Amino acid sequence: MNVLLDHFPEFRDGFLGTLAITAASALLALVLGILIAGFRVSPIPPLRVFGTAWVTVLRNTPLTLLFLVAFFVVPQVLIPGTSPFVLATLALGFYTSSFVCEAVRSGISTVPIGQAEAARSLGMTFSQTLRMIVLPQATRTVLPPLSSIFIALTKNSAIAGAFSVAELFSVSKLLSDKGFAIGWIFLWIALAYLVITFAISGLFRVLERRMGVAR
Amino acid sequence: MSEVSGTGSTEAPAPAGDQLVVLDNVNKHFGALHVLQDIDLTIHRGEVVVVIGPSGSGKSTLCRTINRLETIDSGAISIDGKPLPQEGRELARLRADVGMVFQSFNLFAHKTVLENVVLGQTKVRRTDKAAAEKKARALLDRVGVGTQADKYPAQLSGGQQQRVAIARALAMDPKVMLFDEPTSALDPEMINEVLEVMQQLARDGMTMVVVTHEMGFARSAANRVVFMADGRIVEEAEPNQFFNNPRSDRAKDFLSKILHH
């Protein structure tokens, strides 16, 4: 108990750190994932190839390896002096985007083909059809897998702690290095993660209930 | 097209001279199946062409090639003198001029009836919202579902949904309307309400290509009946000529099966 009260500021900062990096990379993953899913179902072959390559590379690479690339290759080659928070967000966001993309694509395939045909028959372009007709109807189907993906992302964000981003896992490491009882530290850390993951599943349950499309 | 002419005569207008849709030696395969074989078909402005034939004869595919929902393997299709372009903006522009009504209605399930009829006008034609809604309501009244404007498609009967689908297509002021078995998914008592809307359209001079099994509609509304079997156009004739005195054995056989039972 004491370890929490005595080091509350550290725990609080760790919690906020995990929250921030999870939110930032979830947003990045969502935007990229939807965009790449659009590429994968597009009528333009080069875009489809790019989308497939994106998913294949990022989904099949260990996340730790992506972190290594983000922290040791990206600053050297592209943008020196980027903060660890941004680099970790890039690694987590890119990695998770490949899973989001596949969830969105599976949602797209549940929308009856006639919906897209009707939209195209009205003269809507591919991107209009996708944005206005197909994706809104795919959303409901995509929510359950998306919820799992974001919960996994929350827990994956612990890797950022090993790359000098201040978050929950780095707090636990700091305190156990100082010799505090590891059991209590883990308990509080685990509870902090649960708060975030329960909040995510609650949010998605609400969204699911709101977004039913009657057929 | 947004006004119903009060003097709708019972005589179908004679086909005008100019060619609106031209299919020239069109061929298409689905794998090994040669679904369209050497199709030549010309549809004139103001003409109502009804395509009939047994299941699997290629008539739906024929209808869908005209706005390039199905691609063709060889031959050429042109609409109002312009050949169908590749998939892209230019094709989208051309499709806006070709109304399509599907067997399964395909109303946008997440939009209200009114939004279904407004969407194409505002997003494709760039009409402003107030004008689009006014036109949508007029069209919905015209097809007899004006009171349903704020409901979602799933809350409507099949016949109502199909009439909304017709209104949605008409909202684009199309040059030609394609009907792909518009009444085949409907309960029998709802077929007439859809056919009546189509009859009215035909009387108003809309150019129409109608794939259907409704022989009564073919008799009363068509300028020309096109009979297809096994991917070919077997016979083309005026309805009276076709139904009373078919020339081909294939058509005689087909008619004997559907007209006497």
Side-chain angles (χ1 to χ4, degrees), chain A residues 12 33 65 72-73 76 92 98 102 123 133-134 152 155 168 200:
Chain A
R12 188 196 55 209
L65 199 63
F72 299 114
V73 179
Q76 297 288 322
L92 277 168
S98 65
E102 292 302 273
I133 305 300
V134 178
K155 296 182 288 184
L168 281 168
I200 291 174

Side-chain angles (χ1 to χ4, degrees), chain B:
Chain B
M1 277 314 302
S2 59
E3 284 166 81
V4 182
S5 77
T7 58
S9 68
T10 46
E11 273 298 292
D18 61 335
Q19 306 178 338
L20 190 54
V21 180
V22 180
L23 287 84
D24 180 22
N25 201 20
V26 168
N27 280 278
K28 180 178 177 64
H29 297 79
F30 281 133
L33 181 67
H34 198 167
V35 66
L36 294 179
Q37 303 184 31
D38 307 326
I39 301 288
D40 290 311
L41 181 65
T42 301
I43 293 143
H44 298 87
R45 207 179 296 275
E47 196 179 18
V48 178
V49 173
V50 171
V51 184
I52 62 177
S55 296
S57 58
K59 54 194 193 303
S60 270
T61 308
L62 174 75
C63 185
R64 289 163 57 87
T65 56
I66 295 175
N67 69 352
R68 209 172 180 278
L69 284 179
E70 301 283 351
T71 55
I72 56 176
D73 298 337
S74 68
I77 300 177
S78 63
I79 292 173
D80 211 3
K82 287 190 222 86
L84 282 186
Q86 293 294 304
E87 197 75 42
R89 279 180 192 282
E90 209 184 325
L91 180 63
R93 255 197 300 279
L94 204 133
R95 275 184 182 138
D97 292 335
V98 179
M100 178 95 188
V101 176
F102 299 86
Q103 181 176 349
S104 49
F105 329 134
N106 294 345
L107 292 178
F108 304 133
H110 62 307
K111 302 264 182 201
T112 64
V113 163
L114 186 70
E115 288 167 342
N116 264 276
V117 185
V118 164
L119 193 71
Q121 299 181 65
T122 53
K123 300 300 177 187
V124 177
R125 296 284 194 222
R126 306 283 169 197
T127 316
D128 82 312
K129 195 150 190 248
E133 278 190 12
K134 186 159 172 262
K135 184 174 183 180
R137 288 192 191 276
L139 282 166
L140 288 171
D141 283 339
R142 179 178 166 186
V143 300
V145 287
T147 54
Q148 316 288 331
D150 298 319
K151 289 189 181 170
Y152 283 88
Q155 297 169 287
L156 270 54
S157 74
Q160 291 172 326
Q161 288 190 50
Q162 194 61 299
R163 286 182 282 154
V164 174
I166 293 172
R168 176 175 69 178
L170 288 175
M172 306 299 289
D173 295 321
K175 292 173 180 166
V176 51
M177 287 278 285
L178 310 175
F179 293 82
D180 183 7
E181 304 205 23
T183 57
S184 298
L186 294 176
D187 291 338
E189 77 266 27
M190 294 170 184
I191 290 177
N192 276 336
E193 64 191 48
V194 172
L195 289 181
E196 274 161 24
V197 169
M198 292 167 61
Q199 297 265 18
Q200 185 62 49
L201 260 185
R203 282 197 291 271
D204 293 346
M206 174 60 78
T207 311
M208 293 162 68
V209 179
V210 184
V211 174
T212 188
H213 294 290
E214 294 300 324
M215 298 305 145
F217 177 82
R219 268 182 195 276
S220 60
N223 299 115
R224 184 156 46 120
V225 172
V226 171
F227 176 69
M228 283 187 76
D230 305 320
R232 290 178 185 281
I233 292 179
V234 177
E235 192 165 339
E236 275 183 78
E238 287 187 357
N240 271 337
Q241 154 86 28
F242 178 79
F243 286 108
N244 299 332
N245 195 11
R247 279 164 293 156
S248 62
D249 291 340
R250 195 72 182 77
K252 282 175 191 160
D253 181 53
F254 177 76
L255 289 173
S256 75
K257 279 176 184 153
I258 58 160
L259 296 179
H260 314 289
H261 53 81

